[in-house]
C-alpha cells in the first residue's frame, strides 16, 4: 500500500474551560484523483464531481456500457444530476472505454 | 468437532473453490481468492483526528480500518472507519451553537445543548457498529457501491443519554409510529435526498441500550465519527447510527423517504439473499447484524515455520445475542477446534478470541474461522448474495505459507 502524505489540519479551539464553548474544526485533505485521459474526460470530470469525488468512479468494479449507462441514469433520475442527454452518452462511452471490465 | 449438518454445503464450497476434499493441508492451494485487484494495494491516507486508513472516497469521506486492528476488542477512535453519504459534511461545530432539536408529535419540544444532554443519567454500552455493505468488495458477482474490504466495522464503549429518556422528557405521544434522525450533513444539491433515518418508537421505548452518544471510548467523538453526538443502535447496522446528530422528529406515520426506501433494503427472504445476479421480489429494511468472525493476526500471506506454534487472534460478533463459541479449522472445515474467548464486554461487543495453531507440514495452509451466537446462529461455507451487497457473513479464511 502506498502512503499518501496529506496535509493534516486539525484545529481544536477551546474558548473556555469544560465542554461548553468548545469548537471542533477539521480541514479535509485535498482530493487528488485524476481520471484517465480520453474523449469525454472533460465532460465526465465536470458532471461527475458536482456531488462527490471522482473516486466514486475509479473504485467501482469495471463494467461495460450497460453498467455505466445504469450509473449515469441513476445519477440523473434518482439524484437529479443536471447532465444533458448528449453529455450523458459521451460520459457513458468514456467510462465503458476507460473503466471497463478488468 | 465433526460437522455433519454443514457437510453438503462444505463439499459444494470445496468444489467451487477448486479444491478436492482429500488435498487438504500441506499441499498447493489456489490463492486466487486472496489476490483481489480491487481490494489489494489500496491507498492509505491520513484524515484529521485519524491514523492511516484505507481510502475509498475523498468527498464525502469513506475510510476503511485495516484488518490488523481487529486483533482486539476495542477499536481505537483514530482507527475507526468513516462513512458518509452526502456532501458537504460538517467540518466545524461550535458547542455554544449546536443544539439537538426534539420535535414533532411531542408535548414539549426540546432544544438541547450539550450540557442539557449530559444532565440525563449517563448510560454506557459497548457495541459494534458495522456498515451494511461491509465486505461488499468481496461479492461475486460484484455489485456497485462502496467497495469495502472487511474494515467498515468497529467496536467502542459509547456513553450518552438514553434515547428513551430524551423522548420521555419531550413527551413523545404514545400514538406516534416512527421517529426520524437527521444530522448536520446536508446535500449541496437540493435534488439529492438528505440523509434521514427512522426507528419505530416502540422499538426505542423498549430498548434502554439505544443512546445518543457524546463519548466514544471515554473521549469526545472524532468529527468524522459524528461529533458532537451520534445515535447508537446496538445490534443494528451502522445506517441507523446517525452522526453529527441535530434533529429528532416524532411522526404519526411511517417514514419511507429515500434512505429508508428504496435505500438500505434487503430481500424479504429468510436469509436476506437471492440467487446471485437476480432481483428480489419484495424488500424490507435492513436491521440486525448477522454473525461474523475474523482472523486478524497473523495477516493473510504471512510465512510461518513448521512445528512452531502460531498465535491466532481475532474478533467475533453478532446482532446482539452475544458470541457463544468461536471455532477454527486448518483443513477446510473437515474438523473444527474451539478457540479461547476473551473477556465478555456484553452481547453487542466484539468478542476477542485466540487459538494456537501448529503447522505440521510445509506448504500453503488455509485457516478458517466461524462463530456461533447465543441463539445458535452461525456462518456458512458459501457466501449469500443480494444486489446491494449487504449482510455478508460467510466463513472467512486466511492463507499462510509454511516453510
Amino acid at each position: 500500500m502506498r502512503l499518501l502524505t496529506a496535509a493534516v489540519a486539525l484545529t481544536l479551539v477551546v474558548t473556555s474551560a469544560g465542554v461548553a464553548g468548545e469548537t471542533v474544526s477539521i480541514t479535509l485533505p485535498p482530493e487528488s484523483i485524476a481520471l484517465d485521459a480520453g474523449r469525454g474526460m472533460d465532460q465526465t470530470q465536470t458532471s461527475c464531481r458536482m456531488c462527490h469525488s471522482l473516486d466514486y468512479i475509479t473504485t467501482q468494479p469495471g463494467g461495460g456500457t450497460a453498467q455505466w449507462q445504469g450509473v449515469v441514469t441513476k445519477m440523473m433520475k434518482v439524484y437529479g444530476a443536471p447532465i444533458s442527454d448528449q453529455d450523458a452518452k459521451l460520459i457513458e462511452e468514456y467510462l465503458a472505454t476507460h473503466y471497463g471490465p478488468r | 468437532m465433526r460437522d455433519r449438518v454443514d457437510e453438503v454445503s462444505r463439499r459444494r464450497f470445496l468444489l467451487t473453490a477448486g479444491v478436492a476434499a482429500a488435498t487438504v493441508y500441506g499441499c498447493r492451494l489456489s490463492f486466487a481468492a486472496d489476490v483481489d485487484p480491487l481490494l489489494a494495494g489500496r491507498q492509505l491516507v491520513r484524515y484529521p483526528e485519524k491514523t492511516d486508513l484505507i481510502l475509498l472516497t475523498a468527498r464525502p469521506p469513506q475510510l476503511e480500518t485495516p484488518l490488523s486492528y481487529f486483533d482486539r476488542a476495542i477499536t481505537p477512535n483514530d482507527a475507526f472507519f468513516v462513512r458518509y453519504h452526502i456532501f458537504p459534511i460538517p467540518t466545524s461545530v461550535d458547542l455554544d451553537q449546536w443544539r439537538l432539536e426534539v420535535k414533532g408529535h411531542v408535548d414539549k419540544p426540546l432544544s438541547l445543548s450539550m450540557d442539557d444532554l449530559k444532565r440525563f443519567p449517563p448510560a454506557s454500552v459497548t457495541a459494534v457498529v458495522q456498515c451494511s455493505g461491509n465486505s461488499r468488495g468481496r461479492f461475486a458477482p460484484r455489485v456497485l457501491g462502496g467497495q469495502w474490504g472487511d474494515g467498515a466495522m468497529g467496536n467502542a464503549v459509547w456513553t450518552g443519554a438514553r434515547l428513551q429518556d430524551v423522548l420521555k422528557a419531550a413527551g413523545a405521544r404514545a400514538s406516534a409510529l416512527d421517529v426520524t434522525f437527521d444530522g448536520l450533513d446536508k446535500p449541496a444539491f437540493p435534488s439529492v435526498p438528505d440523509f434521514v433515518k427512522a426507528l419505530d418508537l416502540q422499538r426505542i421505548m423498549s430498548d434502554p441500550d439505544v443512546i445518543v452518544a457524546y463519548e466514544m471510548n471515554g473521549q469526545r467523538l472524532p468529527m468524522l465519527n459524528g461529533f458532537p453526538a451520534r445515535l447508537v443502535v446496538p445490534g443494528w447496522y451502522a445506517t441507523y447510527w446517525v452522526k453529527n446528530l441535530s434533529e429528532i422528529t416524532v411522526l404519526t406515520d411511517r417514514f419511507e423517504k429515500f434512505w429508508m426506501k428504496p435505500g438500505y433494503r434487503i430481500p424479504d427472504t429468510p436469509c436476506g439473499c437471492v440467487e446471485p445476479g437476480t432481483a428480489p421480489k419484495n424488500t424490507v429494511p435492513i436491521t440486525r447484524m448477522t454473525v461474523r468472525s475474523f482472523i486478524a493476526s497473523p495477516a493473510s500471506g504471512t510465512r510461518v515455520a513448521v512445528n512452531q506454534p502460531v498465535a491466532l487472534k481475532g474478533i467475533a460478533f453478532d446482532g446482539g445475542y452475544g458470541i457463544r463459541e468461536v471455532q477454527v479449522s486448518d483443513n477446510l472445515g473437515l474438523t473444527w477446534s474451539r478457540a479461547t474467548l476473551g473477556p465478555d464486554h456484553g452481547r453487542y461487543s466484539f468478542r476477542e478470541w485466540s487459538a494456537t495453531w501448529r503447522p505440521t507440514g510445509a506448504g500453503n495452509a488455509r485457516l478458517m474461522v466461524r462463530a456461533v451466537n447465543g441463539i445458535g446462529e452461525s456462518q456458512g461455507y458459501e457466501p449469500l448474495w443480494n444486489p446491494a451487497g449487504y449482510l455478508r457473513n460467510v466463513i472467512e479464511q486466511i492463507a499462510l505459507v509454511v516453510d
Side-chain angles (χ1 to χ4, degrees):
Chain A
M1 288 188 199
R2 279 171 298 146
L3 180 68
L4 181 84
T5 30
V8 179
L10 167 65
T11 341
L12 181 65
V13 191
V14 182
T15 48
S16 70
V19 173
E22 190 185 11
T23 298
V24 175
S25 299
I26 60 166
T27 306
L28 297 179
E31 69 174 286
S32 58
I33 192 84
L35 291 181
D36 290 354
R39 194 176 108 85
M41 185 196 77
D42 288 347
Q43 287 81 354
T44 306
Q45 274 194 342
T46 312
S47 300
C48 304
R49 200 160 44 191
M50 288 185 275
C51 304
H52 50 65
S53 44
L54 294 168
D55 38 25
Y56 268 72
I57 295 174
T58 55
T59 53
Q60 291 304 310
T65 319
Q67 167 177 316
W68 290 116
Q69 258 170 8
V71 168
V72 176
T73 306
K74 178 177 176 185
M75 296 307 132
M76 293 166 69
K77 294 248 164 75
V78 177
Y79 300 130
I83 304 172
S84 71
D85 288 348
Q86 196 189 333
D87 277 358
K89 197 152 184 299
L90 197 61
I91 292 167
E92 287 158 15
E93 281 165 14
Y94 166 79
L95 292 172
T97 306
H98 296 273
Y99 300 92
R102 276 175 255 180
Chain B
M1 236 172 294
R2 185 70 191 252
D3 194 326
R4 254 168 268 107
V5 188
D6 273 352
E7 192 53 23
V8 176
S9 137
R10 193 182 75 90
R11 282 177 194 279
R12 223 171 21 217
F13 150 78
L14 292 174
L15 284 176
T16 46
V19 185
T23 61
V24 163
Y25 167 96
C27 58
R28 298 269 147 196
L29 298 179
S30 159
F31 279 72
D34 303 315
V35 190
D36 185 313
L38 265 187
L39 300 180
R42 292 180 297 166
Q43 193 179 46
L44 289 178
V45 287
R46 190 169 287 195
Y47 270 56
E49 306 180 279
K50 292 280 152 193
T51 187
D52 294 340
L53 297 177
I54 301 165
L55 175 69
L56 267 74
T57 64
R59 299 270 190 291
Q62 302 193 82
L63 309 171
E64 179 176 330
T65 305
L67 204 61
S68 56
Y69 285 99
F70 302 113
D71 62 349
R72 68 204 88 163
I74 300 295
T75 315
N77 289 3
D78 66 353
F80 227 88
F81 80 102
V82 174
R83 196 282 192 250
Y84 279 95
H85 300 75
I86 52 180
F87 200 75
I89 61 161
T91 52
S92 184
V93 176
D94 175 355
L95 280 186
D96 281 343
Q97 304 295 316
W98 177 83
R99 291 292 180 276
L100 177 58
E101 309 288 338
V102 187
K103 56 198 178 63
H105 204 54
V106 297
D107 291 332
K108 199 167 62 130
L110 303 175
S111 179
L112 302 170
S113 68
M114 183 52 79
D115 284 345
D116 296 335
L117 198 58
K118 289 191 170 173
R119 264 180 223 119
F120 288 97
S124 286
V125 60
T126 306
V128 177
V129 54
Q130 181 190 208
C131 178
S132 309
N134 192 23
S135 313
R136 179 184 288 118
R138 303 194 189 286
F139 269 60
R142 287 211 185 268
V143 296
L144 293 173
Q147 299 299 305
W148 298 103
D150 302 316
M153 59 178 187
N155 186 47
V157 184
W158 309 94
T159 304
R162 287 194 180 88
L163 184 55
Q164 301 183 327
D165 293 347
V166 174
L167 289 175
K168 270 183 215 149
R173 297 184 192 140
S175 56
L177 283 183
D178 271 351
V179 182
T180 63
F181 305 87
D182 195 359
L184 296 170
D185 47 342
K186 297 282 172 214
F189 259 75
S191 54
V192 172
D194 189 14
F195 189 75
V196 182
K197 295 294 294 189
L199 289 176
D200 178 279
L201 179 67
Q202 293 314 314
R203 191 224 176 287
I204 298 166
M205 297 319 264
S206 62
D207 186 350
D209 290 321
V210 176
I211 61 179
V212 177
Y214 42 74
E215 259 182 34
M216 177 177 174
N217 294 327
Q219 310 279 313
R220 66 161 175 81
L221 303 178
M223 181 67 76
L224 296 174
N225 294 114
F227 181 82
R230 83 178 296 174
L231 198 63
V232 165
V233 189
W236 282 26
Y237 282 98
T239 181
Y240 295 99
W241 298 46
V242 174
K243 295 185 293 303
N244 315 107
L245 191 62
S246 57
E247 270 178 52
I248 298 177
T249 310
V250 181
L251 301 179
T252 52
D253 49 6
R254 290 287 172 214
F255 178 83
E256 294 199 323
K257 295 263 176 71
F258 187 78
W259 300 102
M260 289 297 293
K261 190 178 184 181
Y264 285 105
R265 297 182 76 91
I266 54 171
D268 187 11
T269 57
C271 60
C273 64
V274 288
E275 264 310 297
T278 66
K281 279 193 200 75
N282 295 303
T283 62
V284 290
I286 192 169
T287 56
R288 196 167 66 86
M289 296 189 289
T290 48
V291 183
R292 300 198 74 177
S293 55
F294 292 92
I295 305 173
S297 177
S300 196
T302 300
R303 303 191 90 88
V304 296
V306 182
N307 290 324
Q308 294 300 308
V310 178
L312 306 176
K313 276 165 80 175
I315 51 94
F317 66 99
D318 78 320
Y321 296 98
I323 293 301
R324 184 196 289 167
E325 198 172 312
V326 173
Q327 306 162 356
V328 291
S329 172
D330 65 359
N331 52 19
L332 298 170
L334 198 63
T335 57
W336 291 88
S337 55
R338 218 177 262 215
T340 306
L341 297 183
D344 185 355
H345 299 288
R347 62 199 173 102
Y348 296 114
S349 171
F350 277 163
R351 190 75 189 259
E352 229 174 279
W353 63 266
S354 61
T356 305
W357 177 64
R358 193 180 286 271
T360 53
N364 293 331
R366 234 166 233 282
L367 294 176
M368 301 167 104
V369 63
R370 73 177 177 189
V372 183
N373 75 357
I375 56 165
E377 293 171 337
S378 187
Q379 304 175 253
Y381 287 98
E382 292 167 290
L384 308 176
W385 194 93
N386 55 64
Y390 295 152
L391 306 174
R392 183 174 160 101
N393 85 322
V394 69
I395 293 171
E396 303 289 344
Q397 44 181 302
I398 61 164
L400 295 179
V401 184
V402 185
D403 295 317

